[in-house]
Amino acid sequence: MAAGVATWLPFARAAAVGWLPLAQKTMPKPPVDKKSRSDEILFVNVSGLRFQTWKNTLDRYPDTLLGSSEKEFFYNEETQEYFFDRDPEMFRHILNFFRTGKLHYPRHECIQAFEEELAFYGIIPEIIGDCCMEEYRDRKKENQERLAEDTEAENAGDAPLPPGATLRERLWRAFENPHTSTMALVFYYVTGFFIAVSVIANVVETVPCRPIKGSIKDLPCGEKFSVAFFCMDTACVLIFSFEYLMRLYAAPSRCDFARSVMSVIDVVAILPFYIGLVMPENEEVSGAFVTLRVFRVFRIFKFSRHSQGLRILGCTLQSCASELGFLLFSLTMAVIIFATVMFYAEKGTKGTNFTSIPASFWYTIVTMTTLGYGDMVPDSIAGKIFGSICSLSGVLVIALPVPVIVSNFSRIYHQNQRADKMRAQQKVRQARIRMAKKGATNAFLQHKEDGGLQDGDSGSTALCVKNRSAFEHQHHHLLHCLEKTTNHEFTDEVTYSEVCMTDSVGFRTSRSTSLSSQQGATTSCCSRRAKRRAIRLANSTVSVSRGSVQELDTLHITKTPAGTQYPQSRSSLNARTEDLKLNCDDYTAAIISIPTPPANTPDESLPNSPAIPGILRNSRSNTYNIQETVKISSL
Amino acid sequence: MTGCAKRCKQGLVKFVMSLHKLITGTLNKDKIDDDFEMSVVCHRPEGLDKLEAHSNFSKRELQVLYRGFKNECPSGVVNEDTFKQIYSQFFPHGDASTYAHYLFNAFDSTHSGSIKFEDFVMALSILLRGSVREKLQWTFNLYDINKDGYINKEEMTDIVRAIYDMMGKYTYPALKTDTPRQHVDAFFQKMDKNKDGVVTLDEFILSCQEDENIMRSLQLFQNVM
């Protein structure tokens, strides 16, 4: 129900008096209206632009931000107004909606910005008034198409293949995206060359060559050099067949591939040859066979794999199918009408060419398309009048659908251009983002190297401190806390990779020993050092590429009865805690990465991922409660 | 009827004009807004003071009422179609158009075909702030469709049927075809004192005043404003 009608509710309730004498039962009690009835003016400040409106106006739509109590969150006590840090231009439209009950879409605004504003104020875009609904829907569809193109282009297969791709997948990729590997490119160009050769051979073999000795008649080259042409044809067909079979093998869905347009064209291109091989040499059948050779010209359509322009043209024709259909239909209608008229107009003339209505079709078509060959010309006056009307109307009928087709072509062409541009832009953007990220991590590492994390050494740190903003300080502090938590440090890729190579073997043994019965500060220290060298939390990319580091979100600490298990690990854990110097005191949980709980078996060799035995530090108790075993749930 | 004939004449005139234009070939576009302007009538109510004097509302209440009214009907008048549309929105289950028609006639005291703000205010003033007698009189006026001073069974049946239409199809217990008629019979039994088949205003008021339920219910809508 439109909330604007809420103003009429009192009237409707008053009119209910009319039912009272008819009522056979008592009426229910009316609701008690607790809130104050007096209307007041509200001030709404949107980024400096002050709006004023009645409270009732906003109350009309109680399920929006402005109509509900949600706006109290934005109330500013000092200035006695509601402050929103949003676009003031857009707010005008929002407020107009409350005032008039109709939501209008401003044409000059970006549709996404508009939708975001609507979402913020809790208004669903479906209530846009009829006057603006069409424009809104068109723009929205355009926007969605554009976004869909982006994602499509991303998934188009420019992404690198997963390493475990089978031969089939690689082959398919090579066929679909020839620029990914040199072999594919070579194959691409070779097939292109052979298509061209085949088409040229088809054309040239019909050209008349000089006749062989002893004959007067001009022979088409195909018959003169029949062996040569046959060989060329065979070679081409062999290559095309091979290509088709390869594609069929590599296609992820053979059924779909077999039904696609390109595959049909391929088949039609090579079929005449095979049929010709099988066909016997008798005269009547070879007549039909000759017509089959016409289909060889379809090989030229194979070029559409190589040319984007051809594909666009095909796409255009497909999308304009309805316009073309209309053109055809209207032309047919007009042709029939005018042919009939011309026939009857010319019937009386002697020796006329207009022998029948179908014969007049040719005249009508030639006239309507303004070709005017002149092989059929009306003689009578009536014929000439109708002929002129025919040619005038022809111009109209043909000119009408053409702009639609042209505009469709232009739209699809620009879409393609845009897709390419967008892809290029995306690459640049990603590169920039990556650089920014690296810059941030480098800043932290630099900070560490400058000794900024040392406590109490204010003299040396003063210089470094000066160049950093408050934000950077806090961020670095946070990263530092994380380091202390996990007992590992950030480093860069280079260090990590070189350390990984050298220490992988030695690391494992040292770690298992640390988890076994060895205790004492030295071993734990060594192990920690080794761990620090070997296990790094470098970029997230590095850790991901290493494989299965699991991030755990929650930790459960369960109390177990004292002294039950794992005395060895107890000591090692103990030792480790003491060695930890944690600066950040008040945190209760830590995010740790661990593949298996370290306390299970002492000798368990951990999986090949660099495990980081995590320690949960309870801020409340300085002494680590031994009885607690850390059960880690991996989500 | 007059409206229909007028529209027909207008249409014919337009057709002849367009034919003329076709032959003479003028490039002027049709004046579409001519038509539109004629149907927009702007009406201003009489002053706030006068309305306050004539009705039982305070100035503030009149202001609130007028703002709501003007917002919904910027032209200042409500015609029957708009009225039906608005009223139907409160009763989405059934068909409220018949009852809205009767209501419209009751509101439109001057029978001008449209409700102005004064009519609106006067009716609301009676219904919300009027005396019991005034309310009952207004209700009688509503039931008396042909405004002859008597309510007969047919009029009452129409009204009751219109009210039941508003209920819609899905009711519990299910509506039977003779339910309105039974209702009307019960009503007449109560109201028609001299059993002459019609109910006059005095009979109506008297019977209502005797009925406890009705008296109590009349106080229901006092705090609507």
Side-chain angles (χ1 to χ4, degrees):
Chain A
M1 191 169 81
V5 198
T7 47
W8 288 84
L9 185 61
F11 138 75
R13 295 181 71 206
V17 166
W19 305 336
L20 297 180
L22 286 169
Q24 291 168 334
K25 302 203 179 105
T26 37
M27 292 286 168
K29 275 192 155 38
V32 179
D33 200 6
K34 286 201 206 87
K35 62 179 188 212
S36 65
R37 273 288 170 188
S38 64
D39 210 359
E40 42 169 334
I41 292 188
L42 294 182
F43 296 97
V44 180
N45 188 342
V46 184
S47 298
L49 209 57
R50 262 182 124 223
F51 294 89
Q52 298 174 8
T53 181
W54 292 108
K55 188 167 180 301
N56 274 354
T57 311
L58 295 181
D59 285 343
R60 278 201 206 131
Y61 297 95
D63 53 352
T64 58
L65 183 149
L66 291 169
S68 65
S69 57
E70 196 182 344
K71 63 176 182 278
E72 301 303 324
F73 284 104
F74 299 91
Y75 189 65
N76 188 346
E77 294 287 344
E78 297 123 43
T79 49
Q80 301 258 320
E81 62 189 11
Y82 294 92
F83 181 74
F84 294 99
D85 197 9
R86 310 284 300 185
D87 189 353
E89 301 293 327
M90 298 271 215
F91 188 75
R92 205 169 55 82
H93 300 284
I94 309 278
L95 200 52
N96 274 341
F97 165 64
F98 281 93
R99 293 189 187 124
T100 61
K102 289 204 268 281
L103 183 62
H104 292 280
Y105 168 61
R107 277 162 177 74
H108 55 271
E109 298 285 355
C110 169
I111 185 136
Q112 276 208 304
F114 185 64
E115 287 199 326
E116 277 166 22
E117 292 295 310
L118 287 185
F120 179 79
Y121 291 107
I123 299 172
I124 46 174
E126 272 70 34
I127 50 178
I128 289 185
D130 288 334
C131 45
C132 300
M133 191 46 151
E134 205 174 307
E135 170 88 18
Y136 169 77
R137 248 188 271 151
D138 286 343
R139 292 276 288 266
K140 188 160 173 160
K141 203 159 36 134
E142 212 181 290
N143 206 30
Q144 276 175 347
E145 269 177 21
R146 220 174 282 176
L147 290 177
E149 269 170 29
D150 282 353
T151 47
E152 233 182 75
E154 279 172 23
N155 306 339
D158 279 1
L161 270 179
T166 63
L167 170 72
R168 205 172 141 183
E169 283 174 10
R170 280 212 297 268
L171 211 54
W172 181 246
R173 244 180 81 76
F175 277 129
E176 291 298 301
N177 299 30
H179 52 268
T180 45
S181 79
T182 37
M183 269 307 295
L185 212 54
V186 162
F187 187 71
Y188 177 76
Y189 282 124
V190 161
T191 40
F193 172 71
F194 272 98
I195 296 175
V197 159
S198 156
V199 169
I200 292 175
N202 277 351
V203 167
V204 166
E205 77 179 3
T206 60
V207 171
C209 283
R210 261 178 312 183
I212 50 180
K213 295 196 185 57
S215 155
I216 321 161
K217 208 168 50 148
D218 260 348
L219 229 54
C221 283
E223 287 178 27
K224 189 163 170 199
F225 304 104
S226 60
V227 177
F229 277 105
F230 182 73
C231 286
M232 216 179 320
D233 205 20
T234 315
C236 292
V237 169
L238 276 178
I239 295 207
F240 296 151
S241 320
F242 173 70
E243 182 205 353
Y244 181 68
L245 288 173
M246 280 290 112
R247 274 184 207 261
L248 198 61
Y249 165 69
S253 157
R254 297 215 174 103
C255 251
D256 283 340
F257 173 72
R259 283 190 305 208
S260 72
V261 176
M262 287 311 302
S263 129
V264 167
I265 291 178
D266 287 339
V267 168
V268 166
I270 60 179
L271 219 45
F273 179 79
Y274 289 113
I275 294 182
L277 281 184
V278 183
M279 199 82 84
E281 276 300 328
N282 53 358
E283 281 302 316
E284 64 233 22
V285 189
S286 61
F289 168 61
V290 165
T291 34
L292 262 181
R293 289 170 74 107
V294 165
F295 286 105
R296 288 188 307 169
V297 81
F298 275 83
R299 287 182 196 160
I300 206 169
F301 283 117
K302 287 165 70 72
F303 265 130
S304 61
R305 274 212 188 92
H306 298 248
S307 150
Q308 204 187 23
L310 261 183
R311 274 202 298 270
I312 295 179
L313 192 61
C315 214
T316 312
L317 291 176
Q318 204 177 0
S319 71
C320 305
S322 65
E323 276 84 27
L324 287 175
F326 165 68
L327 174 61
L328 212 60
F329 177 69
S330 58
L331 258 182
T332 314
M333 249 177 40
V335 159
I336 293 177
I337 291 176
F338 279 108
T340 315
V341 166
M342 288 309 294
F343 172 71
Y344 283 112
E346 286 290 302
K347 201 155 183 227
T349 324
K350 268 204 169 43
T352 183
N353 279 335
F354 296 81
T355 50
S356 67
I357 295 186
S360 314
F361 281 166
W362 173 245
Y363 168 76
T364 322
I365 290 180
V366 167
T367 314
M368 282 183 88
T369 52
T370 69
L371 275 175
Y373 287 136
D375 54 349
M376 283 169 85
V377 184
D379 281 324
S380 65
I381 297 183
K384 288 192 173 142
I385 291 177
F386 288 118
S388 32
I389 297 179
C390 173
S391 71
L392 286 174
S393 65
V395 170
L396 262 180
V397 168
I398 294 187
L400 283 176
V402 169
V404 181
I405 299 177
V406 166
S407 79
N408 262 357
F409 179 81
S410 141
R411 181 174 61 91
I412 295 179
Y413 179 72
H414 283 303
Q415 261 179 17
N416 258 297
Q417 299 286 76
R418 209 176 39 218
D420 290 338
K421 264 191 265 177
M422 202 99 48
R423 241 173 296 171
Q425 233 177 21
Q426 285 279 49
K427 286 206 187 121
V428 171
R429 214 194 312 170
Q430 300 291 4
R432 234 184 292 157
I433 289 176
R434 250 176 289 145
M435 266 190 356
K437 258 199 229 160
K438 213 187 282 187
T441 47
N442 281 347
F444 181 60
L445 294 172
Q446 188 70 27
H447 186 206
K448 267 203 313 195
E449 276 179 29
D450 293 346
L453 295 179
Q454 243 65 294
D455 316 307
D457 197 352
S458 51
S460 61
T461 58
L463 285 170
C464 337
V465 164
K466 223 194 309 186
N467 293 341
R468 291 173 217 290
S469 61
F471 171 77
E472 276 191 14
H473 275 299
Q474 290 165 3
H475 187 219
H476 292 164
H477 176 249
L478 184 67
L479 294 173
H480 191 210
C481 283
L482 184 60
E483 282 190 332
K484 292 295 180 198
T485 311
T486 57
N487 203 21
H488 296 93
E489 288 175 6
F490 290 107
T491 182
D492 53 20
E493 243 180 283
V494 179
T495 334
Y496 175 70
S497 38
E498 68 190 33
V499 161
C500 248
M501 295 307 136
T502 55
D503 275 354
S504 55
V505 176
F507 153 66
R508 206 162 284 173
T509 53
S510 73
R511 195 176 47 191
S512 55
T513 52
S514 78
L515 285 178
S516 64
S517 52
Q518 305 259 340
Q519 61 255 50
T522 51
T523 28
S524 62
C525 185
C526 284
S527 63
R528 210 183 68 169
R529 214 176 44 240
K531 275 200 302 294
R532 180 181 300 181
R533 267 190 293 131
I535 311 155
R536 306 289 184 163
L537 266 180
N539 283 339
S540 57
T541 54
V542 175
S543 57
V544 163
S545 69
R546 283 300 296 167
S548 49
V549 174
Q550 299 165 9
E551 297 280 331
L552 304 172
D553 287 347
T554 62
L555 294 165
H556 299 290
I557 303 183
T558 63
K559 287 203 183 295
T560 64
T564 37
Q565 63 271 67
Y566 323 137
Q568 296 131 336
S569 58
R570 179 208 307 178
S571 55
S572 62
L573 284 172
N574 236 345
R576 208 165 295 134
T577 351
E578 282 155 23
D579 281 333
L580 260 153
K581 290 190 210 43
L582 289 155
N583 289 336
C584 323
D585 281 331
D586 357 334
Y587 60 89
T588 50
I591 301 170
I592 63 176
S593 315
I594 185 163
T596 57
N600 271 342
T601 55
D603 288 333
E604 185 182 25
S605 63
L606 294 161
N608 48 0
S609 66
I612 305 156
I615 297 141
L616 178 74
R617 153 112 172 197
N618 194 336
S619 67
R620 313 273 179 266
S621 59
N622 277 332
T623 61
Y624 189 89
N625 193 345
I626 303 163
Q627 271 108 17
E628 292 172 309
T629 57
V630 179
K631 209 195 301 174
I632 294 127
S633 67
S634 57
L635 298 175
Chain B
M1 277 310 147
T2 51
C4 188
K6 204 160 53 156
R7 277 200 299 276
C8 280
K9 204 162 66 158
Q10 275 173 12
L12 201 60
V13 167
K14 256 177 56 178
F15 175 66
V16 170
M17 293 286 291
S18 59
L19 207 58
H20 178 252
K21 264 188 217 146
L22 182 72
I23 297 173
T24 58
T26 51
L27 289 173
N28 295 339
K29 277 208 279 262
D30 288 350
K31 296 263 188 306
I32 319 168
D33 8 25
D34 285 352
D35 222 27
F36 181 65
E37 272 170 36
M38 279 195 279
S39 60
V40 170
V41 169
C42 217
H43 177 85
R44 271 197 194 93
E46 53 190 38
L48 195 54
D49 299 322
K50 270 179 45 188
L51 270 180
E52 192 195 2
H54 289 162
S55 71
N56 302 334
F57 290 120
S58 72
K59 270 215 173 110
R60 288 218 77 153
E61 290 169 334
L62 282 174
Q63 279 180 340
V64 173
L65 272 176
Y66 188 65
R67 281 207 298 271
F69 185 82
K70 182 88 176 169
N71 210 27
E72 291 308 307
C73 321
S75 59
V77 292
V78 190
N79 59 2
E80 187 165 344
D81 287 330
T82 322
F83 186 86
K84 278 188 182 166
Q85 210 181 339
I86 292 174
Y87 199 73
S88 303
Q89 293 194 327
F90 293 105
F91 305 99
H93 311 282
D95 175 28
S97 48
T98 331
Y99 189 68
H101 168 75
Y102 297 134
L103 262 186
F104 186 82
N105 288 338
F107 266 82
D108 187 14
S109 46
T110 54
H111 304 284
S112 57
S114 58
I115 301 181
K116 299 183 285 296
F117 182 62
E118 289 95 340
D119 303 327
F120 185 66
V121 163
M122 295 317 297
L124 272 188
S125 164
I126 293 174
L127 288 173
L128 299 178
R129 304 282 167 91
S131 67
V132 168
R133 198 194 160 81
E134 285 175 343
K135 289 183 191 172
L136 290 174
Q137 200 163 356
W138 192 91
T139 315
F140 183 85
N141 198 31
L142 171 69
Y143 294 160
D144 186 11
I145 297 177
N146 55 6
K147 315 283 181 242
D148 62 353
Y150 301 104
I151 306 177
N152 52 12
K153 267 211 171 147
E154 284 74 27
E155 289 174 338
M156 210 54 228
T157 317
D158 286 340
I159 296 269
V160 170
R161 200 167 280 140
I163 293 181
Y164 274 103
D165 280 344
M166 284 199 290
M167 292 289 297
K169 204 169 63 164
Y170 304 107
T171 57
Y172 177 78
L175 276 177
K176 298 201 242 322
T177 38
D178 62 344
T179 316
R181 180 149 288 280
Q182 287 179 351
H183 201 139
V184 171
D185 290 337
F187 176 79
F188 261 79
Q189 191 129 15
K190 197 164 56 159
M191 299 285 164
D192 192 7
K193 292 276 188 262
N194 56 1
K195 308 286 178 226
D196 57 355
V198 291
V199 179
T200 62
L201 179 61
D202 298 317
E203 284 179 343
F204 183 72
I205 293 180
L206 214 63
S207 320
C208 285
Q209 279 174 337
E210 288 168 3
D211 190 333
E212 278 274 326
N213 277 339
I214 296 180
M215 283 297 111
R216 218 190 343 245
S217 320
L218 279 177
Q219 312 308 319
L220 261 185
F221 300 105
Q222 269 191 331
N223 304 324
V224 166
M225 260 307 297

